[in-house]
């Protein structure tokens, strides 16, 4: 159900230069743990988003490595110092090799 | 994990009343047998961040009692100025009551500005969350917090 996977990002609209802002992210994803069994008793294979990488104007800001202990539709918030206007780029990596990408522009005042 | 005392058995019944299926989940976990222990969690932390961490500088914010173990909000905040010279390079989070101890690892940079991360965690049962932060000077800090879980969040 890869077409159901949709990232969402929320940042403050117009942060002041130098302000530390909170970046909230959420990606719709089942985060299948690999522990569950289907009705026939067969183990449902693990399928989670295992990594989220964030860069700002190409510079690394934040990275998260996730385990099956992270809830479905993983929500993740972190902070960033907004020194200049630019673009935050997000990449989520799936166990099956797929990558989901999103971008968020930030304009400091 | 057979019911060893009447107290535990009664508690299990109460859990069952609180949420249908919870007892089934518990027995499912019992049957599986495998699971993270505080020792396993500690061992994993050693592979993630080698060394003996000191208590302090980390605040773990999580509900004392989580009714639904499927998504427990957990915030880990580390005291640090987050400058180029002095910042948090990594935060590791483990839990000792899930089938596997690992929860998440974060890599931070001076651009982060503030070492605070929020996630939502699955918790199979009442357990301790342990966080270890690695600083740019190589020092390690740790904190622990227990979360009581009414309905485990795993399987079902």
């Amino acid at each position: 159900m890869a077409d159901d996977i949709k990232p969402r990002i929320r940042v403050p609209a117009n942060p002041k230069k130098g302000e530390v802002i909170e970046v909230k992210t959420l990606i719709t994803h089942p985060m299948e743990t690999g522990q569950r069994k289907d009705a026939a008793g067969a183990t449902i294979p693990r399928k989670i988003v295992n990594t989220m990488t964030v860069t700002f104007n190409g510079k690394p800001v934040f990275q998260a490595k996730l385990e099956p202990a992270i809830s479905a539709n993983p929500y993740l918030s972190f902070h960033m110092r907004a020194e200049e206007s630019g673009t935050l780029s997000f990449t989520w990596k799936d166990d099956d090799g797929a990558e989901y990408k999103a971008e968020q522009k930030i304009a400091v005042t | 994990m057979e019911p060893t005392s009447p107290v535990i058995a009664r508690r299990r019944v109460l859990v069952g009343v609180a949420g249908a299926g919870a007892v089934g989940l518990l027995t499912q976990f019992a049957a599986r047998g495998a699971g993270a222990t505080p020792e396993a969690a500690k061992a994993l932390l050693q592979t993630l961040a080698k060394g003996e961490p000191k208590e302090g500088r980390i605040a773990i914010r999580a509900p004392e009692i989580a009714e639904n173990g499927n998504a427990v909000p957990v915030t880990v905040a580390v005291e640090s100025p987050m400058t180029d010279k002095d910042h948090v390079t990594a935060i590791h989070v483990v839990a000792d009551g899930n089938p596997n101890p690992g929860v998440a690892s974060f890599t931070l940079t001076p651009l982060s500005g503030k070492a605070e991360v929020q996630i939502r965690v699955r918790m199979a049962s009442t357990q301790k969350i342990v966080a270890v932060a690695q600083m740019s000077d190589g020092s390690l800090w740790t904190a622990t917090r227990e979360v009581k879980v009414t309905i485990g969040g795993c399987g079902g």
Side-chain angles (χ1 to χ4, degrees):
Chain A
M1 290 195 288
D3 47 346
D4 286 337
I5 292 164
K6 190 177 153 217
R8 283 174 223 169
I9 292 148
R10 184 171 279 190
V11 294
N14 284 303
K16 289 188 181 65
K17 186 174 157 57
E19 192 183 327
V20 174
I21 59 170
E22 185 181 23
V23 182
K24 297 176 180 176
T25 72
L26 189 145
I27 184 161
T28 50
H29 192 284
M31 296 294 276
E32 191 58 62
T33 60
Q35 301 275 344
R36 296 201 305 160
K37 292 190 169 57
D38 63 17
T43 303
I44 305 170
R46 182 182 124 154
K47 185 184 189 298
I48 67 165
V49 169
N50 55 46
T51 315
M52 179 178 102
T53 310
V54 185
T55 61
F56 182 67
N57 291 346
K59 286 176 292 200
V61 176
F62 181 80
Q63 190 184 51
K65 287 204 182 337
L66 307 178
E67 300 287 337
I70 298 292
S71 302
N73 303 328
Y75 165 90
L76 215 158
S77 84
F78 60 95
H79 290 75
M80 191 192 107
R81 186 175 283 133
E83 289 289 0
E84 53 183 346
S85 298
T87 307
L88 268 175
S89 306
F90 300 80
T91 307
W92 288 264
K93 283 202 182 86
D94 196 307
D95 272 351
D96 66 11
E99 285 193 358
Y100 318 113
K101 285 180 189 291
E103 287 195 341
Q104 173 73 46
K105 286 213 170 11
I106 291 179
V108 298
T109 51
Chain B
M1 215 175 70
E2 292 299 315
T4 45
S5 77
V7 178
I8 290 175
R10 201 183 310 140
R11 198 174 292 158
R12 210 171 265 191
V13 170
L14 283 174
V15 168
V17 173
V23 171
L25 268 178
L26 275 178
T27 37
Q28 204 182 324
F29 278 119
R32 204 174 284 146
T37 57
E39 291 74 40
K42 213 171 170 190
L44 177 71
L45 277 175
Q46 275 303 312
T47 63
L48 293 168
K50 211 168 167 48
E52 198 55 50
K54 284 174 279 193
E55 289 281 333
R57 286 185 77 169
I58 305 184
I60 302 177
R61 292 200 289 275
E64 204 163 296
I65 299 172
E67 284 185 10
N68 181 357
N70 263 318
V72 183
V74 175
T75 306
V76 179
V78 188
E79 271 175 52
S80 165
M82 294 307 278
T83 56
D84 285 338
K85 280 205 180 117
D86 181 7
H87 59 271
V88 180
T89 56
I91 302 174
H92 305 287
V93 183
V94 302
D96 63 12
N98 282 341
N100 291 303
V103 176
S105 289
F106 308 103
T107 312
L108 287 83
T109 64
L111 254 185
S112 302
K114 186 172 163 191
E116 188 175 316
V117 176
Q118 191 184 1
I119 45 175
R120 288 181 189 153
V121 182
R122 283 182 176 133
M123 293 189 195
S125 60
T126 295
Q127 58 189 290
K128 287 193 178 69
I129 298 180
V130 184
V132 168
Q134 191 162 17
M135 305 295 177
S136 50
D137 65 6
S139 65
L140 297 172
W141 298 86
T142 185
T144 304
R145 187 179 163 99
E146 191 182 48
V147 178
K148 293 190 168 66
V149 177
T150 320
I151 303 173
C154 185

